[in-house]
Amino acid sequence: MSLNRRALLASAAGFALFAGTGLRADGHATHTVEMLNKDPDNPRARNVFKPRILRVKAGDTVLFKSVDRGHNAAAVDEMIPEGTEEWKTKIGADEEVTFAQPGIYGYNCTPHASTGMVGLIIVEGEGMLDNLEDAKGARQRGRAKAVWEEIWEEAEAEGLLEPVSA
């Protein structure tokens, strides 16, 4: 089968659109969370994940991108669904984590957790809110306590904690 120029350009455009969405061959998306020394939108905010709240579909992958050295991403045991495996990326490395089970996933930067370098991933699907109260009730230290309060308020205000309606 030969492609004429129009068909070839259409195919290339379709591929570019597909590649630009972050979709993988299996139909799931890859999302990026940057690990930063300071927030480019708020230079007073130090040691942050950007975005700090992310809602994804079950099976999607999150790339924790080490933009600035000295950071990692590690699951907070009390803030992940029961039966899921904790993860901990290497400091200063880009690493991917795939989220297969719906639920609430709290994580932090191990060296900067008490300074408030924390983040939330909400994985859509059946039972996505089953561990919400446990996650909200997890004990936090230092500045992380105030940042988690902000995150929960923001997630609620933006409707991120509402199940997807069919």
Side-chain angles (χ1 to χ4, degrees):
M1 172 178 144
S2 68
L3 291 175
N4 63 28
R5 182 171 181 209
R6 181 176 292 168
L8 184 61
L9 289 173
S11 295
F15 177 76
L17 179 64
F18 179 76
T21 62
L23 290 177
R24 300 187 320 250
D26 64 5
H28 293 287
T30 298
H31 309 269
T32 300
V33 172
E34 295 179 325
M35 300 180 282
L36 303 163
N37 289 339
K38 65 181 179 179
D39 186 334
D41 300 323
N42 178 6
R44 292 176 29 169
R46 305 272 181 198
N47 297 326
V48 296
F49 291 106
K50 187 96 175 163
R52 70 180 181 177
I53 304 173
L54 186 61
R55 184 164 163 163
V56 304
K57 295 182 180 344
D60 284 357
T61 296
V62 175
L63 167 64
F64 292 97
K65 180 125 182 91
S66 181
V67 176
D68 296 318
R69 296 185 333 182
H71 304 294
N72 75 333
V76 177
D77 183 44
E78 303 82 22
M79 298 181 77
I80 61 174
E82 190 173 321
T84 60
E85 202 172 306
E86 289 183 47
W87 79 91
K88 183 176 182 179
T89 67
K90 293 179 182 139
I91 293 177
D94 294 354
E95 290 190 46
E96 292 184 340
V97 177
T98 299
F99 293 87
Q101 182 176 333
I104 304 297
Y105 292 79
Y107 64 96
N108 62 36
C109 172
T110 306
H112 301 110
S114 65
T115 67
M117 189 168 180
V118 299
L120 176 67
I121 296 173
I122 303 159
V123 180
E124 296 176 357
E126 181 77 29
M128 75 178 237
L129 300 178
D130 288 356
N131 70 314
L132 177 62
E133 292 309 312
D134 288 340
K136 282 184 171 183
R139 185 171 177 212
Q140 305 297 335
R141 296 173 192 227
R143 172 110 174 87
K145 185 174 183 173
V147 174
W148 274 113
E149 288 174 12
E150 292 172 9
I151 286 174
W152 295 124
E153 287 175 18
E154 184 180 333
E156 188 72 39
E158 293 183 17
L160 298 173
L161 298 175
E162 298 297 322
V164 176
S165 53

